Amino acid sequence: VITGASSGIGEAAARLLKAQGAHVVIVGRSPEKTEKVASELNVPYYLADFTKLDEVRTLASQLQTDFPRIDVLANNAGGVMGDRTLTVDGNEMTIQVNHLAPFLLTNLLLDTLIASEASVIATSSLANRGAGTLDLNDLTIEHGYTAQRAYGKAKLMNILFTKELHRRFHAA
């Protein structure tokens, strides 16, 4: 399962994995772009807008119903948003799309992922180096917001979450 697979790195990964014989499931936000890629690859697809956590919950439920086994979850959806914007869930949009939504999706699928002995991949970048520290009292970044700081903090959160998943569930 690859999120953010309707374009960019996610689409390229889906194409490569499909060419190598993997059973690929793609997730995207744009109905047109996601359907186009899915049709070209002849793979199942799901739509979810990560700015809405209810859509992530629905996605997780659909995936659990349709796929009792998931070998890999590639949390690739994301992006750098411009101005500081809060989602309908009250979170800063860059933080939600890049971290909170994938965090929620992974946790909702955790039983399936554990039973499948799956790998969870979080795409990241060097942007986390400029994030500084996480202020748990200001996760909506009301103070000192820039798009790059928000993106860097989200990527730092991805790294911390991935390390914790590894610590808890990777066979030593």
Side-chain angles (χ1 to χ4, degrees), residues 70-108:
I70 298 173
D71 293 310
V72 177
L73 172 61
N75 284 319
N76 172 68
V80 179
M81 313 313 166
D83 296 331
R84 180 179 175 275
T85 304
L86 298 183
T87 66
V88 295
D89 303 292
N91 301 305
E92 192 283 318
M93 189 176 297
T94 301
I95 298 289
Q96 180 165 317
V97 169
N98 287 279
H99 178 68
L100 297 176
F103 176 91
L104 177 61
L105 179 62
T106 302
N107 277 284
L108 291 173

Side-chain angles (χ1 to χ4, degrees), residues 27-83:
V27 177
R29 176 177 44 100
S30 163
E32 297 80 18
K33 290 167 53 175
T34 307
E35 185 175 351
K36 180 179 182 287
V37 173
S39 177
E40 289 171 6
L41 296 178
N42 193 29
V43 300
Y45 72 94
Y46 295 81
L47 299 174
D49 182 345
F50 280 19
T51 66
K52 300 171 183 163
L53 294 179
D54 280 345
E55 291 194 22
V56 176
R57 290 181 184 93
T58 299
L59 171 64
S61 178
Q62 292 171 328
L63 290 171
Q64 284 178 313
T65 298
D66 295 348
F67 302 99
R69 178 178 179 87
I70 298 173
D71 293 310
V72 177
L73 172 61
N75 284 319
N76 172 68
V80 179
M81 313 313 166
D83 296 331

Side-chain angles (χ1 to χ4, degrees), residues 84 130-131 135 138 140-150 153:
R84 180 179 175 275
D135 182 352
D138 189 22
T140 61
I141 314 178
E142 278 188 74
H143 309 288
Y145 177 86
T146 69
Q148 289 300 324
R149 278 190 71 228
K153 287 182 184 300

Side-chain angles (χ1 to χ4, degrees), residues 4-16:
S6 61
S7 64
I9 293 170
E11 179 185 355
R15 290 184 184 284
L16 178 65

